[in-house]
Amino acid sequence: MIFPLPTRVDINECLDPQACGVNAECVNVPGNYTCLCRDGFVGDPYNGCADVDECAQPGVCGPGAICTNVEGGYRCDCPAGFDGDARSAQGCADFDECTRSPCGRNALCRNDVGSFRCECPEGFHGDAMTDCQDIDECSNNPCAEGAQCINTPGGFRCSCPAGMTGSGDGHCDDINECARANACGENAKCINFPGSYKCLCPQGFQGRDPFRGCVDIDECTAFDKPCGNHAICENANPGYNCLCPQGYAGKPDPKIACEQADVNVLCKSNFDCTNNAECIEGQCFCQDGFEPQGSSCVDIDECRMDAHVCGPSAMCINTPGSFRCDCEAGFIGTPPRIQCKTPCADVKCGKNAYCKAEGQEAFCICEEGWTFNPNDISAGCVDINECDPGQGPNGRCGVNAACTNLPGSFSCQCPPGFTGDASRQCYDVDECSKPNACGEGAVCKNLEGSHKCSCPEGSIADPDPRVCKDINECKDPNKPACGVNAICKNLPGSYECQCPPGFNGNPFLSCEECSSLECKCPAPYKFMDGNCVLDSCSTDGKCAGGAECITITGGVSYCACPKGFRTQADGKCEDIDEFGYKGDPLTGCTDEDECANSPCAYGAQCVNQKGGYKCCVCPNGFIGNPYVQCKDIDECSTGNVCGEGALCINSAGSFDCRCKPGLAGNPF
């Protein structure tokens, strides 16, 4: 057997990562290997290779290039803003970025070494890299007054508008077109204004195109009554005039109205003239008796111009255009030809007579107290006997008067004991009303024309019959004045009798000592259970014998006589004759005002009378006994005293009706 020879296989040492050093390359060779440093590295490849810094060597890269060492090599780069072959001998050259338009709209690009710059040009603002916007310089009004500002890209321009011109200092001055000849048409008015002008037809002219010309307007025919009332229109160039005709004046101006200011206006007939004027040869004049005063003919007051035109005692009466003379009242005549005089001026009357005028007539009349003798008128005036009984009981004098006839007159006198107006009536003089007409105590009696003094009953003359003294009846020994046991009291001209205490009876006959129960317990008392007590009123509140029921505290009532009455033994009431006078009866008595002591009940009216008084009924609106008490009547409780819907309000002695709130009308 043949055995093949064993194959020899090379061992690749390079498979061992540790075969070479760092940065070395392992190269396997048959039966061995070798280690080599990589490009850009130097050193012991078996232990490790270190990087070579090629950039440290000069001229590695081209001019202007940037050398950058890398592991195992290097790199040559042109810096920003440069371009070229960084490894060639030409190296890197500056690159013009502006050729690529790197800046924004309207921006300027400026190239720099290795770079570029973007700027907004003058007149622009904004971000030059994105957009530059134009600045509107006209917004700040950079131009002079009157000039127009025109904005341009990056600037502005000032120019003068139409109708303006520059003055060299940037200002614009208006061109006065109206200074040029024939700027407007004939009669037109040129009005210059800044930058232009216009042509207008002035007032009083018209035209379609004022630049060609204006013609005058005849306002007097073109307008309807251009002037005021009564005014005359006169055309002018230009305009028109308003004139007032003769005798007229403007009020206030002829264009408004003309008012007649003078009588002497032009006329064709009297109808063209004012009142009381007439047309003479085409002009108005005032008629006779009238004079011009403004536009009117006023009457001439001849009476005022000559106060004596009618003569004495005559009245001048002015009339339209003339005057009239009349005699004053009480005068006759035909002034001014025959002067005025009294009707009696040429009349002569006899003795005790005078002339009396009545209208236009004159008469002779006897003076007062004289008269004509109807049987012999020629004898003239004779005296009138005013005291003749045919004239009356006392002639022409008053009643009771004495009449005395005098020539042409008479006199009246009141006789002794009479007084008054003797021509009307003489009244008797009351001598008794005079003090001391009679003596002390005497009674005076008035007589017609005189008086008489006498002593009253109960007195005698002392010793003169005109002086009287009182008779004391209580001391007359021949005739006892009072009864047995009675007490006598003398009074002026009289006396009175009274029973003493403990006695009873008629004091003018006899007073008996009280022994009976009725005597010891007179009305208004009565015996009850051995006691003298008040006699109560009946159940109906009435009393007998004219007495009235009196109620006191506690409901107790009794019968008593009213004031002015006395209680008799039988309980009946007897009137007391109080006389109602006070004073000394020997010298004179005067009426006593009993009402001063309030004798009536509360609320009642007391009326004083001569010699007494009376208590009237309770006044209106009250009810009750006027000697006891008057109570108010509540009229509202009677019902239907007020109208429908009204409130009744009672008051003392009356009542009132008022409408309820919210109502109106007559509450009664």
Side-chain angles (χ1 to χ4, degrees):
M1 168 182 246
I2 302 173
F3 290 95
L5 292 174
T7 304
R8 298 177 65 186
V9 178
D10 181 47
I11 298 172
N12 188 357
E13 294 83 1
C14 294
L15 296 175
D16 184 2
Q18 302 294 330
C20 296
V22 178
N23 295 321
E25 291 182 353
C26 180
V27 180
N28 186 52
V29 294
N32 201 359
Y33 71 96
T34 186
C35 293
L36 298 174
C37 286
R38 294 176 183 174
D39 290 338
F41 290 88
V42 294
D44 184 359
Y46 293 98
N47 293 319
C49 296
D51 178 56
V52 177
D53 186 4
E54 294 86 356
C55 294
Q57 300 175 12
V60 175
C61 295
I66 298 174
C67 179
T68 304
N69 184 59
V70 295
E71 189 173 331
Y74 68 97
R75 188 178 73 248
C76 293
D77 298 313
C78 287
F82 288 82
D83 193 16
D85 185 359
R87 291 180 179 270
S88 67
Q90 288 77 19
C92 296
D94 177 55
F95 176 70
D96 187 3
E97 295 88 351
C98 293
T99 59
R100 295 179 300 174
S101 300
C103 298
R105 187 171 64 92
N106 297 323
L108 296 176
C109 181
R110 299 185 184 278
N111 186 58
D112 292 332
V113 178
S115 182
F116 68 97
R117 185 171 71 252
C118 295
E119 297 175 348
C120 286
E122 186 178 0
F124 289 83
H125 67 96
D127 185 359
M129 296 300 295
T130 58
D131 187 17
C132 289
Q133 296 181 351
D134 178 49
I135 297 174
D136 185 6
E137 294 83 359
C138 294
S139 62
N140 295 324
N141 297 321
C143 299
E145 184 178 1
Q148 289 181 337
C149 179
I150 302 173
N151 187 56
T152 59
F156 68 95
R157 184 176 75 254
C158 295
S159 63
C160 291
M164 310 285 283
T165 182
S167 61
D169 57 355
H171 288 78
C172 293
D173 297 326
D174 175 55
I175 299 173
N176 186 4
E177 295 86 353
C178 295
R180 299 199 302 257
N182 301 321
C184 297
E186 185 179 3
N187 296 323
K189 182 179 181 180
C190 181
I191 301 175
N192 182 65
F193 55 89
S196 184
Y197 75 103
K198 63 181 178 180
C199 297
L200 299 174
C201 287
Q203 187 174 2
F205 289 85
Q206 64 181 358
R208 292 184 177 181
D209 187 2
F211 289 91
R212 292 186 178 182
C214 301
V215 294
D216 176 56
I217 299 173
D218 186 358
E219 293 85 355
C220 295
T221 58
F223 299 154
D224 182 22
K225 295 182 179 180
C227 296
N229 194 26
H230 300 300
I232 299 173
C233 181
E234 183 182 80
N235 189 53
N237 190 0
Y240 66 98
N241 297 319
C242 293
L243 305 174
C244 287
Q246 178 179 325
Y248 286 82
K251 184 185 180 183
D253 183 88
K255 290 186 176 182
I256 299 176
C258 288
E259 185 181 59
Q260 186 174 350
D262 192 355
V263 173
N264 306 120
V265 298
L266 301 178
C267 62
K268 294 181 180 180
S269 68
N270 290 344
F271 294 103
D272 298 329
C273 301
T274 188
N275 291 339
N276 302 317
E278 55 187 348
C279 184
I280 301 176
E281 296 182 357
Q283 191 170 347
C284 294
F285 295 94
C286 288
Q287 297 175 354
D288 292 340
F290 294 87
E291 61 182 352
Q293 194 174 91
S295 62
S296 301
C297 289
V298 297
D299 174 52
I300 298 174
D301 190 353
E302 295 85 357
C303 299
R304 177 176 54 83
M305 297 177 64
D306 185 1
H308 305 289
V309 66
C310 292
S313 303
M315 298 182 298
C316 181
I317 301 171
N318 186 59
T319 60
S322 184
F323 68 99
R324 185 180 80 247
C325 294
D326 291 339
C327 288
E328 295 177 356
F331 291 86
I332 59 175
T334 55
R337 288 171 295 183
I338 300 176
Q339 291 188 349
C340 298
K341 59 184 177 180
T342 62
C344 293
D346 298 329
V347 177
K348 295 182 179 180
C349 297
K351 187 179 180 182
N352 298 321
Y354 66 94
C355 181
K356 180 180 180 181
E358 288 187 3
Q360 302 294 321
E361 303 292 333
F363 306 93
C364 287
I365 298 177
C366 290
E367 296 174 353
E368 188 175 0
W370 302 83
T371 185
F372 285 107
N373 185 349
N375 298 321
D376 187 7
I377 296 179
S378 62
C381 297
V382 295
D383 177 49
I384 297 174
N385 184 8
E386 293 87 355
C387 297
D388 191 295
Q391 301 282 348
N394 302 92
R396 292 189 182 181
C397 295
V399 179
N400 298 326
C403 180
T404 303
N405 186 57
L406 300 172
S409 181
F410 69 101
S411 67
C412 298
Q413 293 180 342
C414 289
F418 288 86
T419 185
D421 184 358
S423 62
R424 295 188 177 184
Q425 184 174 358
C426 293
Y427 298 93
D428 174 51
V429 176
D430 186 2
E431 293 85 358
C432 295
S433 63
K434 298 179 180 179
N436 304 321
C438 292
E440 184 178 357
V443 176
C444 180
K445 182 180 180 182
N446 185 58
L447 302 174
E448 189 171 345
S450 182
H451 71 289
K452 177 182 178 183
C453 296
S454 61
C455 289
E457 185 179 356
S459 63
I460 58 175
D462 185 27
D464 187 344
R466 292 178 300 173
V467 179
C468 305
K469 65 178 182 180
D470 178 54
I471 298 174
N472 189 348
E473 294 86 352
C474 296
K475 293 185 178 181
D476 188 352
N478 300 319
K479 181 182 178 183
C482 297
V484 179
N485 296 324
I487 299 174
C488 180
K489 182 180 181 181
N490 186 56
L491 298 174
S494 184
Y495 68 99
E496 72 174 10
C497 300
Q498 296 178 348
C499 287
F503 288 80
N504 193 16
N506 188 341
F508 292 94
L509 299 177
S510 177
C511 292
E512 301 293 336
E513 186 176 1
C514 288
S515 59
S516 65
L517 296 177
E518 290 77 6
C519 178
K520 293 181 179 180
C521 190
Y525 294 88
K526 69 176 181 179
F527 271 104
M528 182 177 291
D529 298 331
N531 297 315
C532 188
V533 297
L534 281 172
D535 187 8
S536 301
C537 303
S538 62
T539 56
D540 59 359
K542 294 183 179 180
C543 296
E548 58 186 17
C549 184
I550 306 297
T551 302
I552 61 177
T553 306
V556 178
S557 64
Y558 66 93
C559 294
C561 290
K563 190 171 183 179
F565 292 80
R566 65 165 63 92
T567 305
Q568 295 179 324
D570 57 2
K572 294 183 180 180
C573 297
E574 179 185 31
D575 178 54
I576 300 174
D577 185 9
E578 300 92 345
F579 291 103
Y581 292 89
K582 64 181 179 178
D584 189 347
L586 299 177
T587 58
C589 300
T590 59
D591 177 62
E592 181 180 7
D593 185 7
E594 294 84 354
C595 293
N597 297 322
S598 303
C600 298
Y602 175 78
Q605 293 178 334
C606 178
V607 180
N608 184 58
Q609 295 178 331
K610 193 171 183 180
Y613 74 99
K614 69 174 181 179
C615 289
C616 296
V617 294
C618 290
N620 290 335
F622 290 85
I623 191 172
N625 188 338
Y627 293 92
V628 180
Q629 184 179 11
C630 293
K631 296 182 180 179
D632 175 57
I633 298 174
D634 186 2
E635 294 86 351
C636 296
S637 64
T638 60
N640 300 326
V641 292
C642 296
E644 186 177 355
L647 292 174
C648 181
I649 303 173
N650 186 60
S651 59
S654 183
F655 70 101
D656 190 21
C657 294
R658 298 180 184 176
C659 289
K660 293 180 180 178
L663 299 178
N666 185 347
F668 291 94

